[in-house]
Short mmCIF file of all heavy atoms in Angstrom, two decimals:
data_model
loop_
_atom_site.label_atom_id
_atom_site.label_comp_id
_atom_site.label_asym_id
_atom_site.label_seq_id
_atom_site.Cartn_x
_atom_site.Cartn_y
_atom_site.Cartn_z
N THR A 823 11.78 -5.11 -20.59
CA THR A 823 12.63 -6.28 -20.40
C THR A 823 14.04 -5.75 -20.17
O THR A 823 14.53 -4.84 -20.75
CB THR A 823 12.68 -7.19 -21.70
OG1 THR A 823 11.22 -7.64 -21.86
CG2 THR A 823 13.59 -8.31 -21.47
N ASN A 824 14.73 -6.38 -19.18
CA ASN A 824 16.00 -6.07 -18.87
C ASN A 824 17.02 -7.20 -19.42
O ASN A 824 16.58 -8.24 -19.59
CB ASN A 824 16.24 -5.87 -17.39
CG ASN A 824 15.54 -4.56 -16.98
OD1 ASN A 824 15.76 -3.49 -17.37
ND2 ASN A 824 14.64 -4.78 -15.90
N TYR A 825 18.34 -6.81 -19.48
CA TYR A 825 19.27 -7.63 -20.10
C TYR A 825 20.47 -7.86 -19.26
O TYR A 825 20.93 -7.09 -18.48
CB TYR A 825 19.69 -7.05 -21.53
CG TYR A 825 18.52 -6.92 -22.52
CD1 TYR A 825 17.75 -5.83 -22.41
CD2 TYR A 825 18.34 -7.90 -23.48
CE1 TYR A 825 16.69 -5.72 -23.32
CE2 TYR A 825 17.28 -7.78 -24.34
CZ TYR A 825 16.48 -6.71 -24.30
OH TYR A 825 15.40 -6.57 -25.19
N ALA A 826 21.11 -9.05 -19.45
CA ALA A 826 22.33 -9.46 -18.79
C ALA A 826 23.51 -8.66 -19.45
O ALA A 826 23.33 -8.08 -20.52
CB ALA A 826 22.60 -10.99 -18.88
N LYS A 827 24.70 -8.72 -18.81
CA LYS A 827 25.81 -8.06 -19.43
C LYS A 827 26.15 -8.51 -20.75
O LYS A 827 26.71 -7.75 -21.65
CB LYS A 827 26.99 -8.28 -18.41
CG LYS A 827 26.86 -7.47 -17.07
CD LYS A 827 28.23 -7.74 -16.30
CE LYS A 827 28.12 -6.96 -14.88
NZ LYS A 827 29.21 -7.20 -14.13
N ASP A 828 25.94 -9.84 -21.14
CA ASP A 828 26.24 -10.34 -22.40
C ASP A 828 25.16 -10.03 -23.47
O ASP A 828 25.27 -10.41 -24.63
CB ASP A 828 26.51 -11.85 -22.33
CG ASP A 828 25.27 -12.60 -21.98
OD1 ASP A 828 24.19 -12.02 -21.63
OD2 ASP A 828 25.38 -13.89 -21.71
N GLY A 829 24.10 -9.28 -23.00
CA GLY A 829 23.16 -8.85 -23.99
C GLY A 829 21.92 -9.73 -24.09
O GLY A 829 20.92 -9.46 -24.83
N THR A 830 21.95 -10.89 -23.38
CA THR A 830 20.81 -11.78 -23.52
C THR A 830 19.71 -11.30 -22.53
O THR A 830 19.96 -10.77 -21.47
CB THR A 830 21.18 -13.20 -23.04
OG1 THR A 830 21.79 -13.20 -21.74
CG2 THR A 830 22.25 -13.74 -23.99
N PRO A 831 18.37 -11.41 -23.03
CA PRO A 831 17.35 -10.94 -22.14
C PRO A 831 17.15 -11.80 -20.87
O PRO A 831 17.30 -13.00 -20.87
CB PRO A 831 16.14 -11.09 -23.08
CG PRO A 831 16.50 -12.03 -24.11
CD PRO A 831 17.93 -11.92 -24.30
N LEU A 832 16.91 -11.07 -19.75
CA LEU A 832 16.65 -11.82 -18.55
C LEU A 832 15.25 -12.30 -18.51
O LEU A 832 14.40 -11.84 -19.26
CB LEU A 832 16.83 -10.82 -17.36
CG LEU A 832 18.31 -10.35 -17.11
CD1 LEU A 832 18.32 -9.15 -16.12
CD2 LEU A 832 19.25 -11.54 -16.66
N PRO A 833 15.00 -13.26 -17.70
CA PRO A 833 13.59 -13.88 -17.60
C PRO A 833 12.64 -12.80 -17.25
O PRO A 833 12.95 -11.72 -16.70
CB PRO A 833 13.73 -14.85 -16.47
CG PRO A 833 15.16 -15.25 -16.38
CD PRO A 833 15.87 -14.04 -16.78
N PRO A 834 11.28 -12.99 -17.59
CA PRO A 834 10.31 -11.97 -17.36
C PRO A 834 10.25 -11.47 -15.94
O PRO A 834 9.89 -10.24 -15.81
CB PRO A 834 9.02 -12.73 -17.72
CG PRO A 834 9.36 -13.76 -18.68
CD PRO A 834 10.74 -14.25 -18.23
N GLU A 835 10.51 -12.27 -14.92
CA GLU A 835 10.34 -11.78 -13.64
C GLU A 835 11.34 -10.66 -13.29
O GLU A 835 11.21 -10.05 -12.16
CB GLU A 835 10.48 -12.86 -12.60
CG GLU A 835 11.75 -13.74 -12.69
CD GLU A 835 11.64 -14.95 -13.56
OE1 GLU A 835 10.84 -14.98 -14.49
OE2 GLU A 835 12.41 -15.99 -13.21
N TYR A 836 12.27 -10.41 -14.03
CA TYR A 836 13.30 -9.35 -13.83
C TYR A 836 12.93 -8.09 -14.66
O TYR A 836 13.69 -7.07 -14.52
CB TYR A 836 14.73 -9.81 -14.32
CG TYR A 836 15.29 -10.90 -13.42
CD1 TYR A 836 15.18 -12.22 -13.79
CD2 TYR A 836 15.94 -10.62 -12.20
CE1 TYR A 836 15.81 -13.18 -12.97
CE2 TYR A 836 16.42 -11.61 -11.37
CZ TYR A 836 16.33 -12.88 -11.80
OH TYR A 836 16.81 -13.90 -10.98
N ALA A 837 11.80 -8.11 -15.25
CA ALA A 837 11.36 -6.85 -16.03
C ALA A 837 10.98 -5.83 -14.93
O ALA A 837 10.73 -6.20 -13.77
CB ALA A 837 10.13 -7.22 -16.86
N ASP A 838 10.83 -4.62 -15.31
CA ASP A 838 10.76 -3.55 -14.33
C ASP A 838 9.52 -3.68 -13.33
O ASP A 838 9.75 -3.66 -12.12
CB ASP A 838 10.59 -2.16 -15.06
CG ASP A 838 11.96 -1.65 -15.60
OD1 ASP A 838 12.90 -2.41 -15.36
OD2 ASP A 838 11.95 -0.61 -16.17
N ALA A 839 8.32 -3.78 -13.93
CA ALA A 839 7.14 -3.90 -13.02
C ALA A 839 7.12 -5.16 -12.29
O ALA A 839 6.78 -5.20 -11.07
CB ALA A 839 5.90 -3.71 -13.83
N MET A 840 7.55 -6.27 -12.87
CA MET A 840 7.60 -7.55 -12.22
C MET A 840 8.52 -7.47 -11.00
O MET A 840 8.20 -7.95 -9.90
CB MET A 840 8.05 -8.68 -13.18
CG MET A 840 7.12 -8.83 -14.39
SD MET A 840 5.67 -9.85 -13.94
CE MET A 840 6.40 -11.51 -13.96
N ALA A 841 9.71 -6.93 -11.19
CA ALA A 841 10.69 -6.90 -10.10
C ALA A 841 10.26 -5.95 -9.01
O ALA A 841 10.43 -6.19 -7.85
CB ALA A 841 12.03 -6.41 -10.63
N ALA A 842 9.57 -4.82 -9.34
CA ALA A 842 9.07 -3.94 -8.37
C ALA A 842 7.92 -4.50 -7.58
O ALA A 842 7.93 -4.35 -6.32
CB ALA A 842 8.51 -2.61 -9.16
N PHE A 843 7.10 -5.35 -8.24
CA PHE A 843 6.16 -5.99 -7.48
C PHE A 843 6.68 -7.01 -6.50
O PHE A 843 6.24 -6.99 -5.41
CB PHE A 843 5.12 -6.73 -8.51
CG PHE A 843 4.05 -7.51 -7.74
CD1 PHE A 843 2.89 -6.94 -7.39
CD2 PHE A 843 4.28 -8.81 -7.45
CE1 PHE A 843 1.91 -7.60 -6.73
CE2 PHE A 843 3.24 -9.59 -6.79
CZ PHE A 843 2.11 -8.95 -6.48
N ARG A 844 7.68 -7.79 -6.95
CA ARG A 844 8.34 -8.72 -6.10
C ARG A 844 8.94 -8.08 -4.86
O ARG A 844 8.97 -8.62 -3.78
CB ARG A 844 9.39 -9.60 -6.83
CG ARG A 844 10.00 -10.59 -6.07
CD ARG A 844 10.80 -11.54 -7.01
NE ARG A 844 11.93 -10.94 -7.72
CZ ARG A 844 11.80 -10.63 -8.99
NH1 ARG A 844 10.70 -10.88 -9.66
NH2 ARG A 844 12.87 -10.09 -9.57
N GLY A 845 9.48 -6.83 -5.14
CA GLY A 845 10.11 -6.11 -4.06
C GLY A 845 9.14 -5.84 -2.90
O GLY A 845 9.42 -5.90 -1.74
N PHE A 846 7.88 -5.31 -3.34
CA PHE A 846 6.79 -5.15 -2.34
C PHE A 846 6.40 -6.41 -1.71
O PHE A 846 6.24 -6.54 -0.50
CB PHE A 846 5.68 -4.47 -2.94
CG PHE A 846 4.43 -4.38 -2.06
CD1 PHE A 846 4.46 -3.55 -0.96
CD2 PHE A 846 3.34 -5.11 -2.36
CE1 PHE A 846 3.38 -3.53 -0.06
CE2 PHE A 846 2.26 -5.08 -1.54
CZ PHE A 846 2.22 -4.26 -0.41
N ALA A 847 6.21 -7.36 -2.58
CA ALA A 847 5.64 -8.76 -2.06
C ALA A 847 6.57 -9.41 -0.98
O ALA A 847 6.04 -10.00 -0.05
CB ALA A 847 5.48 -9.80 -3.25
N LYS A 848 7.85 -9.13 -1.07
CA LYS A 848 8.82 -9.84 -0.11
C LYS A 848 9.14 -8.87 1.07
O LYS A 848 9.86 -9.25 1.94
CB LYS A 848 10.04 -10.19 -0.84
CG LYS A 848 9.85 -11.29 -1.80
CD LYS A 848 11.19 -11.85 -2.32
CE LYS A 848 10.97 -13.12 -3.10
NZ LYS A 848 12.25 -13.66 -3.59
N SER A 849 8.47 -7.69 1.08
CA SER A 849 8.81 -6.80 2.15
C SER A 849 7.95 -7.13 3.43
O SER A 849 6.99 -8.00 3.44
CB SER A 849 8.41 -5.34 1.79
OG SER A 849 7.00 -5.10 1.73
N THR A 850 8.31 -6.49 4.55
CA THR A 850 7.56 -6.73 5.87
C THR A 850 6.33 -6.00 5.89
O THR A 850 5.58 -6.19 6.91
CB THR A 850 8.54 -6.36 7.03
OG1 THR A 850 8.92 -4.94 6.88
CG2 THR A 850 9.77 -7.16 7.03
N LEU A 851 6.02 -5.18 4.93
CA LEU A 851 4.80 -4.36 5.03
C LEU A 851 3.56 -5.28 4.99
O LEU A 851 3.53 -6.25 4.26
CB LEU A 851 4.75 -3.36 3.90
CG LEU A 851 5.74 -2.18 3.90
CD1 LEU A 851 5.59 -1.37 2.70
CD2 LEU A 851 5.50 -1.30 5.14
N SER A 852 2.55 -4.78 5.65
CA SER A 852 1.22 -5.39 5.48
C SER A 852 0.27 -4.28 5.11
O SER A 852 -0.40 -3.68 5.92
CB SER A 852 0.80 -6.00 6.88
OG SER A 852 -0.51 -6.57 6.83
N SER A 853 0.26 -4.05 3.78
CA SER A 853 -0.41 -2.99 3.21
C SER A 853 -0.91 -3.32 1.87
O SER A 853 -1.24 -4.48 1.57
CB SER A 853 0.39 -1.76 3.24
OG SER A 853 1.70 -2.00 2.55
N SER A 854 -1.02 -2.30 1.00
CA SER A 854 -1.69 -2.59 -0.33
C SER A 854 -0.77 -2.06 -1.50
O SER A 854 0.05 -1.15 -1.27
CB SER A 854 -3.03 -1.74 -0.48
OG SER A 854 -3.99 -2.15 0.50
N ILE A 855 -0.90 -2.74 -2.54
CA ILE A 855 -0.23 -2.32 -3.77
C ILE A 855 -1.26 -1.74 -4.71
O ILE A 855 -2.34 -2.36 -4.98
CB ILE A 855 0.50 -3.50 -4.49
CG1 ILE A 855 1.46 -2.88 -5.59
CG2 ILE A 855 -0.38 -4.55 -4.98
CD1 ILE A 855 2.53 -3.83 -6.12
N VAL A 856 -0.94 -0.51 -5.25
CA VAL A 856 -1.86 0.17 -6.14
C VAL A 856 -1.36 -0.02 -7.52
O VAL A 856 -0.28 0.47 -7.89
CB VAL A 856 -2.00 1.68 -5.85
CG1 VAL A 856 -2.95 2.35 -6.71
CG2 VAL A 856 -2.35 1.90 -4.33
#
Side-chain angles (χ1 to χ4, degrees):
T823 298
N824 290 307
Y825 296 83
K827 289 182 179 180
D828 61 3
T830 58
L832 293 171
E835 58 265 30
Y836 292 97
D838 284 0
M840 297 280 281
F843 178 86
R844 183 168 62 259
F846 169 69
K848 291 190 173 184
S849 74
T850 57
L851 291 176
S852 180
S853 54
S854 301
I855 189 161
V856 182

